[in-house]
Amino acid sequence: MKLAPRNRIKYFEPAVFLGGFTSWAPGNLSYSTGGVYLGYAMMHHVKHKYEAWWQKYSYLLGSGIDAGIAFSSIIIYFAVQYHEIDLNWWGNSVATAGLDYEMRTSGSRLDVADAPGGYFGPRKGNYP
């Protein structure tokens, strides 16, 4: 069995690591959790248990997923955006709902003096 190299810092790329945070900002963890599970299953479990299948079909599966995303984006563009159809669902309105959006657009800041009792969070004795 081949052991991992002792010096793992040589595989660390700060530009890739920090660049990943730029696309993270508009979403939360629930948007990428499925991709993490799928990536772990393909790159760890399937690769180690079924290596012959992985070598033969991994590239085909990845390119099929990419082609499906491209094809569905073309369909969505012509079905929804090209004719300017207004869809009202949670995914369209969540970005402009809540205190975060109101604070950003009004330019004001949240102050501790605005909070009842002088602090944020659960009150004493009301912990879940």
Side-chain angles (χ1 to χ4, degrees):
M1 184 169 121
K2 186 176 179 181
L3 296 175
R6 295 193 187 274
N7 187 6
R8 293 180 183 241
I9 194 71
K10 69 179 184 178
Y11 296 112
F12 178 72
E13 285 290 332
V16 174
F17 181 75
L18 295 173
F21 287 116
T22 59
S23 63
W24 187 270
N28 58 24
L29 189 60
S30 66
Y31 295 131
S32 59
T33 305
V36 170
Y37 292 151
L38 182 64
Y40 176 78
M42 285 300 295
M43 296 306 292
H44 182 73
H45 181 71
V46 173
K47 185 177 180 182
H48 290 203
K49 295 276 187 185
Y50 311 103
E51 187 171 354
W53 183 92
W54 184 84
Q55 287 178 356
K56 189 173 184 180
Y57 294 113
S58 177
Y59 184 76
L60 185 65
L61 179 65
S63 60
I65 290 172
D66 290 343
I69 290 171
F71 186 65
S72 65
S73 65
I74 291 170
I75 291 174
I76 290 170
Y77 172 75
F78 284 113
V80 178
Q81 292 180 344
Y82 187 71
H83 299 293
E84 296 184 15
I85 297 173
D86 186 30
L87 294 177
N88 188 12
W89 65 292
W90 173 83
N92 291 340
S93 61
V94 71
T96 59
L99 187 60
D100 291 336
Y101 178 76
E102 292 175 16
M103 299 296 282
R104 187 178 44 196
T105 55
S106 67
S108 64
R109 297 184 55 144
L110 193 60
D111 194 8
V112 176
D114 297 335
Y119 66 94
F120 297 106
R123 300 297 175 239
K124 295 176 182 170
N126 293 328
Y127 299 108

